[in-house]
């Protein structure tokens, strides 16, 4: 690998407080780059995942191969000279360090140890790869010798062909048995999750019926767990919808088939037959073959945004034309997958229907289903005797932008849309023929749902059990409302109503359990507002930014009998919860007003051990007391309105972090 010439790291977070981290970051980067073979000098997926696992080990975190594989796809898409890729990697790695809570003082030590661990990990990986190549070479030489010897013995060629067919049949059966065991394990996991939810419901309602459901679910989980470890000789039905896990099959494939993902994303062939043969060449079983085809299409075919918008004639969607042009609309993606799958001896079908976006929540049924621009195509594929749904178009990326420049296709590989559980895909895709649901949705039910994205399901979020979730939330008699979700404790949330800078939303999370309540307050006047919920996965998932998870539409009331100012406090959740703060009432008021004596109470209950600071417009405010009323402050005569901020830190600390921010209203104004 050529020597990296790079500039000092940019002033970003931890980098600015540590001397000379560039050389260590460069060494860490080099462990992610292939040093030999056909990928020499390129970012290598297996090395990247192994190095990130070693880094997690050094920090005492749990390795997350799926998140690392997704990060690799994002980083590997960078274009430009090598230093620009190094800088992009450095910035990404520093964000990951910050998200994991790593202090500036510990960064240098972690980098030293991480480089050594990563080198050892990739050396072990290289040894395994060398041994694997040696085995492949030995097998190839043996088969060549057998073929040469067979030419001198009458009938030996036929015997060898029969032996190979028997071996291939045994391998196929073994692959099907392994797939069956994985499905049984997923069933056990889902049953256990259902048991936990039923127990939570039992605690909330204190009812005997819920407790019985919890016991039943636990029993099902135990039976499923036992079944997952046993072999079975029962044949899989030829036509049956797959028993789906709570997450898309694509995330598991991205983790299990890393070598296939790398090989498929770089494969090339001049025609359908050759490409299908190349993609299926080293796969084991139907699932891995279908995954390789999905990966290739998502990495090599771009969406025809100009043809879709009518700026030029649309490209052909015939499979051979798509393979030649590498540009098409959704029908081309689906036709190409169908053709490649059938060439690889898979059973696949073209699915036509309707796909909607978040802007169509609550739209009239006729408007959604009569608009030709909502027409969409995706696929169904049979794996292990059961049917799965996938969408190569949405898995390849999305069209972004607009205005006079028009929308442009931005490639971003998304494994979520391979093997999507039918009940998840049904929020955005509608087909009368292919839905695989236990109960098909009506057209009205389809358009009335909220709009969860792939981020929603990737984070393990779900809607409340019971009736189907409603996408349009109407405020009746008031300008306030609430939506409820199930969100894992490790997942961070933000919410926004109407894209306003005002804090119109407040997220209520209990001390235990996964049930979350998102409170909102609408501004005055009639109108609809988008309620958007954003998600950030746990720190060790290498994700420091929030992504859109779900959209609702809130309909404001013309003349509410009770109007509450749409203002909540701005809460820095990590610091708030980490220090043990609580609000005196939930939801808390964000707009405060001083009394006649010039005192104002922040509705926050603070642990007595903490050092507190309150400022108004960056000027310190005197704290009079800290008790059951909250933090009571005495204002000076000139301190009448503005931004009221609460800071806190452990006793004796020289650095205090912002906990929450309120608005102080002038006395005499409505609050």
């Amino acid at each position: 690998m050529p020597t990296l010439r790079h500039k000092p790291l940019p002033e970003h977070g931890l980098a600015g407080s540590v001397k000379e981290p560039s050389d260590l970051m460069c060494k860490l980067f080099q462990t992610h780059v292939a040093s030999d073979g056909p990928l020499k000098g390129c970012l290598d997926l297996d090395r990247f995942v192994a190095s990130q696992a070693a880094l997690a080990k050094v920090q005492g975190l749990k390795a997350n191969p799926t998140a690392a594989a997704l990060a690799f796809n994002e980083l590997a898409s960078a274009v430009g000279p090598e230093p620009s890729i190094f800088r992009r990697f450095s910035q990404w790695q520093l964000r990951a360090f910050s998200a994991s809570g790593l202090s500036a003082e510990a960064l240098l030590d972690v980098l030293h140890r991480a480089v050594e661990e990563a080198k050892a990990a990739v050396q072990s990986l290289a040894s395994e790869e060398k041994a694997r190549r040696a085995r492949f070479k030995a097998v190839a030489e043996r088969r060549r010798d057998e073929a040469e010897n067979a030419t001198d013995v009458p009938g030996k060629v036929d015997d060898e062909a029969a032996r190979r067919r028997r071996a291939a049949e045994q391998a196929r059966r073994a692959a099907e048995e392994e797939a069956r065991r994985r499905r049984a394990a997923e069933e056990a996991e889902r049953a256990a999750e259902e048991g936990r939810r039923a127990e939570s419901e039992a605690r909330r309602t204190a009812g005997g019926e819920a407790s019985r459901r919890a016991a039943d679910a636990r029993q099902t989980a135990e039976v499923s767990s036992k079944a997952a470890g046993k072999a079975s000789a029962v044949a899989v039905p030829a036509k049956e919808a797959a028993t789906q896990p709570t997450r898309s099959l694509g995330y598991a494939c991205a983790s299990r088939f890393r070598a296939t993902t790398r090989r498929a994303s770089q494969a090339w062939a001049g025609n359908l037959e050759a490409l299908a043969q190349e993609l299926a060449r080293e796969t084991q079983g139907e699932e891995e073959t279908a995954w390789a085809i999905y990966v290739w299409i998502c990495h090599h075919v771009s969406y025809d945004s100009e043809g879709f918008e009518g700026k030029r004639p649309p490209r052909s969607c015939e499979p051979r034309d798509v393979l030649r042009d590498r540009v098409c609309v959704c029908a081309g993606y689906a036709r190409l997958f169908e053709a490649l799958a059938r060439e690889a001896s898979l059973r696949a079908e073209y699915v036509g229907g309707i796909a909607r976006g978040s802007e169509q929540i609550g739209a009239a049924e006729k408007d959604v289903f009569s608009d030709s621009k909502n027409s969409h195509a995706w696929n169904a594929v049979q794996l292990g005797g059961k049917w799965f749904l996938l969408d190569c178009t949405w898995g390849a990326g999305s069209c972004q932008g607009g205005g006079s420049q028009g929308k442009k296709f931005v490639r971003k590989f998304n494994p979520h849309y391979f093997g999507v559980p039918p009940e998840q895909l049904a929020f955005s895709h509608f087909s009368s023929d292919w839905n695989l649901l236990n109960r098909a949705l009506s057209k009205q039910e389809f358009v009335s749902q909220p709009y969860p994205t792939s981020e929603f399901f990737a984070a393990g979020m779900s809607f409340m059990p019971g009736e189907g979730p409603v996408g349009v939330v109407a405020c009746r008699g008031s300008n306030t409302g609430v939506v409820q979700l199930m969100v894992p404790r490790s997942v961070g949330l933000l919410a926004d109503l109407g894209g306003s800078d005002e804090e119109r939303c407040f997220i209520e999370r209990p001390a235990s359990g996964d049930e979350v309540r998102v409170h909102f307050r609408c501004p005055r006047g009639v109108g609809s507002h988008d309620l958007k919920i954003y998600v950030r996965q746990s720190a060790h998932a290498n994700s420091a930014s929030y992504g859109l998870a779900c959209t609702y539409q809130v309909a404001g009331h013309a003349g509410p009998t009770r109007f509450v100012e749409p203002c909540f406090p701005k809460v820095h959740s990590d610091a708030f919860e980490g220090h043990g703060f609580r609000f005196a009432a939930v939801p808390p008021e964000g707009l405060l007003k001083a009394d006649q004596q010039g005192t104002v109470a922040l509705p926050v209950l603070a642990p007595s051990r903490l050092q507190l600071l309150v400022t108004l417009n960056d000027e310190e405010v005197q704290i009079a007391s800290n008790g059951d009323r909250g933090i009571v402050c005495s204002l000076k005569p000139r301190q009448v309105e503005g931004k009221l901020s609460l800071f806190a830190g452990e006793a004796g600390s020289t650095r205090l972090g912002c906990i929450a921010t309120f608005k102080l209203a002038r006395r005499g104004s409505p609050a």
Side-chain angles (χ1 to χ4, degrees):
M1 175 182 174
T3 302
L4 288 171
R5 296 189 179 94
H6 57 276
K7 299 177 181 179
L9 290 178
E11 294 295 330
H12 180 281
L14 298 172
S17 57
V18 179
K19 296 180 179 179
E20 303 286 335
S22 293
D23 291 340
L24 289 173
M25 191 66 76
C26 178
K27 291 178 181 179
L28 182 62
F29 176 73
Q30 287 174 332
T31 64
H32 296 66
V33 178
S35 58
D36 57 9
L39 296 178
K40 182 177 180 180
C42 300
L43 279 175
D44 180 84
L45 176 60
D46 289 338
R47 283 172 169 262
F48 189 92
V49 172
S51 295
Q52 289 299 311
L55 187 57
K57 178 182 177 182
V58 168
Q59 295 179 263
L61 302 174
K62 182 180 178 182
N64 192 323
T66 302
L70 294 174
F72 169 84
N73 284 326
E74 180 179 353
L75 291 170
S77 64
V79 296
E82 189 175 88
S84 70
I85 301 177
F86 169 69
R87 284 195 296 271
R88 184 170 181 173
F89 164 79
S90 300
Q91 294 167 357
W92 172 83
Q93 190 67 74
L94 286 170
R95 287 197 301 270
F97 283 146
S98 298
S100 65
L102 184 67
S103 66
E105 293 77 9
L107 174 60
L108 199 58
D109 177 60
V110 167
L111 280 175
H112 274 293
R113 291 189 292 133
V115 168
E116 297 305 318
E117 285 284 348
K119 285 182 179 179
V122 298
Q123 286 174 358
S124 175
L125 193 66
S127 298
E128 293 176 1
E129 178 68 15
K130 185 176 180 180
R132 188 179 67 85
R133 291 177 182 174
R135 289 196 301 270
F136 281 156
K137 183 177 180 181
V139 170
E141 291 176 350
R142 177 174 58 81
R143 288 180 177 176
R144 185 175 63 251
D145 293 341
E146 290 173 351
E148 291 175 353
N149 295 335
T151 58
D152 300 327
V153 182
K156 191 171 183 179
V157 174
D158 293 339
D159 292 342
E160 178 65 15
R163 186 191 66 78
R164 290 181 180 178
R165 284 196 298 272
R166 287 194 299 272
E169 178 64 18
Q170 291 174 353
R172 184 186 65 79
R173 290 176 180 175
E176 290 180 351
E177 178 61 21
E178 178 63 23
R180 187 203 65 77
R181 289 179 179 178
R182 285 199 300 269
R183 289 194 295 272
E186 290 166 349
E187 174 69 20
E189 180 182 356
R190 185 173 62 259
E193 176 66 22
E194 185 65 25
R196 288 192 292 270
R197 290 185 181 179
E199 286 179 331
S200 177
E201 181 181 353
R203 287 195 299 271
R204 289 197 305 272
T205 61
E209 182 62 28
S211 298
R212 285 194 293 275
R213 288 200 301 272
D216 291 343
R218 284 197 304 273
Q219 184 178 5
T220 302
E222 292 170 359
V223 173
S224 299
S225 298
K226 293 177 181 179
K230 297 180 180 180
S232 173
V234 179
V236 179
K239 282 190 176 182
E240 185 177 346
T243 301
Q244 295 286 358
T246 55
R247 297 185 79 200
S248 165
L249 180 63
Y251 296 109
C253 290
S255 177
R256 291 202 309 269
F257 305 138
R258 294 197 299 269
T260 298
T261 302
R262 179 186 59 191
R263 183 175 57 81
S265 65
Q266 299 171 352
W268 183 90
N271 58 65
L272 283 172
E273 295 78 8
L275 179 58
Q277 183 178 2
E278 172 63 19
L279 293 175
R281 179 168 51 88
E282 296 182 13
T283 59
Q284 299 291 329
E286 295 176 335
E287 184 178 296
E288 189 174 3
T289 301
W291 170 253
I293 297 172
Y294 175 83
V295 168
W296 189 92
I297 294 175
C298 291
H299 280 81
H300 292 272
V301 179
S302 299
Y303 191 80
D304 184 13
S305 56
E306 292 185 350
F308 179 77
E309 292 183 339
K311 293 183 177 180
R312 60 169 178 75
R315 300 290 185 95
S316 170
C317 289
E318 289 300 314
R320 296 186 186 278
D321 295 334
V322 174
L323 184 60
R324 179 195 65 218
D325 299 337
R326 308 290 177 90
V327 178
C328 62
V329 293
C330 56
Y333 283 89
R335 292 294 184 199
L336 181 58
F337 182 90
E338 179 187 40
L340 287 172
R342 291 181 177 180
E343 285 291 339
S345 300
L346 298 177
R347 187 176 177 187
E349 298 292 339
Y350 175 97
V351 180
I354 293 292
R356 66 175 188 140
S358 60
E359 70 280 0
Q360 294 173 317
I361 297 175
E365 174 189 323
K366 63 178 182 179
D367 294 338
V368 174
F369 283 86
S370 63
D371 189 346
S372 62
K373 288 192 174 183
N374 293 331
S375 297
H376 191 52
W378 57 100
N379 293 99
V381 63
Q382 194 177 54
L383 306 175
K386 301 193 179 211
W387 287 97
F388 291 82
L389 300 173
L390 61 97
D391 189 338
C392 294
T393 310
W394 286 27
S398 61
C399 291
Q400 300 178 8
S404 59
Q405 300 296 324
K407 292 188 175 182
K408 300 294 182 183
F409 174 71
V410 178
R411 190 181 308 283
K412 186 176 182 181
F413 178 65
N414 192 339
H416 173 77
Y417 292 102
F418 179 84
V420 193
E423 62 273 13
Q424 295 180 10
L425 195 65
F427 284 102
S428 55
H429 294 55
F430 182 94
S431 172
S432 301
D433 302 322
W434 281 94
N435 55 65
L436 303 184
L437 296 169
N438 293 329
R439 185 188 73 83
L441 296 177
S442 68
K443 293 181 178 180
Q444 185 57 48
E445 288 174 321
F446 173 69
V447 300
S448 299
Q449 301 177 108
Y451 190 84
T453 69
S454 60
E455 296 269 4
F456 182 93
F457 300 110
M461 298 171 64
S462 62
F463 297 102
M464 299 298 293
E467 295 295 326
V470 177
V472 179
V473 183
C475 296
R476 302 186 184 280
S478 173
N479 67 320
T480 66
V482 62
V483 297
Q484 295 176 271
L485 296 167
M486 300 297 291
V487 185
R489 297 290 303 173
S490 60
V491 172
L493 289 181
L494 291 176
D496 169 78
L497 182 69
S500 172
D501 293 336
E502 302 288 337
E503 296 294 326
R504 296 176 177 173
C505 299
F506 175 78
I507 297 173
E508 177 188 354
R509 304 192 79 152
S512 61
D514 293 342
E515 184 176 333
V516 170
R517 295 166 62 88
V518 181
H519 300 266
F520 61 86
R521 293 173 180 172
C522 297
R524 293 184 185 275
V526 184
S528 61
H529 313 275
D530 284 342
L531 173 61
K532 294 183 179 293
I533 298 171
Y534 300 85
V535 62
R536 182 192 67 186
Q537 297 191 45
S538 56
H540 64 261
N542 294 333
S543 175
S545 60
Y546 284 83
L548 179 61
C550 187
T551 304
Y552 291 84
Q553 187 179 93
V554 176
H557 195 277
T561 56
R562 186 175 69 89
F563 182 83
V564 183
E565 284 296 330
C567 181
F568 290 106
K570 181 176 182 180
V571 182
H572 299 271
S573 301
D574 293 341
F576 189 92
E577 296 174 3
H579 284 302
F581 283 91
R582 292 182 297 113
F583 283 107
V586 177
E589 292 300 328
L591 188 63
L592 307 179
K593 186 171 66 171
D595 59 19
Q596 295 298 325
Q597 288 72 40
T599 63
V600 61
L602 278 63
V604 177
L605 304 180
S608 58
R609 73 176 193 281
L610 296 178
Q611 180 179 349
L612 304 177
L613 170 68
V614 177
T615 66
L616 178 63
N617 300 330
D618 298 329
E619 181 182 358
E620 185 173 352
V621 174
Q622 180 182 354
I623 298 177
S625 64
N626 175 20
D628 294 339
R629 285 185 58 200
I631 302 172
V632 180
C633 301
S634 298
L635 302 175
K636 298 176 182 179
R638 67 175 180 275
Q639 294 176 325
V640 293
E641 62 180 342
K643 183 174 73 172
L644 199 60
S645 301
L646 170 64
F647 298 84
E650 296 297 332
S653 175
T654 58
R655 297 183 61 183
L656 304 182
C658 186
I659 303 299
T661 303
F662 300 80
K663 286 188 177 181
L664 179 65
R666 183 182 294 271
R667 287 193 292 272
S669 63

